[in-house]
Amino acid sequence: QSALTQPASVSGSPGQSITISCTGTSSDVGGYNYVSWYQLHPGKAPKLIIFDVSDRPSGVSNRFSGSKSGNTASLTISGLQAGDEADYHCSSYTGTSVVFGGGTKLTVL
Amino acid sequence: QVQLVESGGGVVQPGRSLRLSCAASGFTFSSYAMYWVRQAPGKGLEWVAFIWYDGTNEYYVDSVKGRFTVSRDNSKNSLSLQMNSLRAEDTAMYYCARGALGILVRPPDYWGQGTLVTVSS
């Protein structure tokens, strides 16, 4: 199972919106509505911010939103804040297991 | 609240063994499947091992099959990963992560902070 494809890096200024893509195939992202997104800060536990493509866990800001079109899922962060600077990883169910993306480093300028 | 705390990482020589542990609390551990997921330096996340809620089935990424063994003790709310014949490419941060209820396979939700494994001579 090949890893999902994410851009290595994205950047934005405070207050702006950014979108991170996560591209897979019809056997993973495109085939199931079980895509999750995680926020990774150094030294901290990865945090689930989106599950089932577009649902937010309790306590996660509504500035984070998820969507999917075909084989590509997307994470949008609106109203960028300095604290959003982190690595973001996607994951998808594959029918038998899960697969992760390569991760995207978000820089808040 | 859900807590997962890993331990057991360290520096080990190639070919040697290491055992990782994960202490779970804040949820009914025996009802959930569990993962070990790793992140090598500069790389993305990779699931390593997956075990059903009751421990009756285990699954491994191809690169660790025959070398790693995942197990759980539901009476102690603990998850383990026995890693044998370690290789340099096993160097990574290893995370314990909670899966879905029962035997469902879904991306993990809660994660621990990880324990670092470095394989080097």
Side-chain angles (χ1 to χ4, degrees):
Chain A
Q1 188 76 42
S2 299
L4 306 175
T5 300
Q6 297 182 235
S9 63
V10 298
S11 62
S13 299
Q16 287 186 331
S17 295
I18 62 94
T19 297
I20 300 172
S21 61
C22 171
T23 301
T25 69
S26 58
S27 297
D28 39 63
V29 174
Y32 308 94
N33 289 322
Y34 298 120
V35 176
S36 294
W37 289 89
Y38 307 94
Q39 179 188 61
L40 275 71
H41 280 119
K44 296 182 69 175
K47 178 183 179 182
L48 177 70
I49 54 174
I50 295 289
F51 68 97
D52 293 355
V53 175
S54 60
D55 290 341
R56 276 188 309 276
S58 173
V60 172
S61 171
N62 59 8
R63 297 186 301 105
F64 294 90
S65 62
S67 63
K68 189 182 84 167
S69 177
N71 296 336
T72 298
S74 298
L75 171 71
T76 298
I77 308 174
S78 59
L80 270 180
Q81 299 176 358
D84 297 332
E85 185 161 294
D87 291 337
Y88 292 84
H89 294 249
C90 61
S91 178
S92 175
Y93 175 59
T94 70
T96 55
S97 64
V98 297
V99 63
F100 291 92
T104 298
K105 181 175 180 58
L106 169 62
T107 301
V108 180
L109 302 170
Chain B
Q1 72 281 21
V2 173
Q3 274 199 311
L4 299 168
V5 180
E6 303 93 336
S7 61
V11 180
V12 61
Q13 293 179 328
R16 304 298 291 264
S17 299
L18 206 59
R19 187 177 182 86
L20 306 183
S21 297
C22 171
S25 61
F27 65 103
T28 305
F29 180 73
S30 59
S31 295
Y32 287 82
M34 296 294 295
Y35 287 93
W36 284 101
V37 178
R38 68 184 177 185
Q39 185 177 25
K43 303 289 187 179
L45 297 167
E46 176 187 47
W47 77 272
V48 174
F50 174 80
I51 187 167
W52 279 10
Y53 73 106
D54 59 359
T56 54
N57 277 283
E58 311 148 26
Y59 304 89
Y60 302 92
V61 69
D62 286 347
S63 60
V64 309
K65 281 180 183 175
R67 299 189 299 122
F68 289 12
T69 302
V70 61
S71 60
R72 63 191 297 159
D73 185 339
N74 285 345
S75 69
K76 296 181 179 178
N77 290 348
S78 69
L79 179 73
S80 298
L81 184 68
Q82 177 67 39
M83 304 186 296
N84 299 331
S85 303
L86 281 161
R87 305 168 180 168
E89 55 264 36
D90 296 319
T91 294
M93 182 71 78
Y94 283 74
Y95 296 99
C96 165
R98 191 178 80 167
L101 284 165
I103 63 172
L104 286 177
V105 179
R106 296 291 184 268
D109 52 8
Y110 290 94
W111 301 60
Q113 286 192 295
T115 187
L116 183 61
V117 173
T118 303
V119 183
S120 173
S121 54

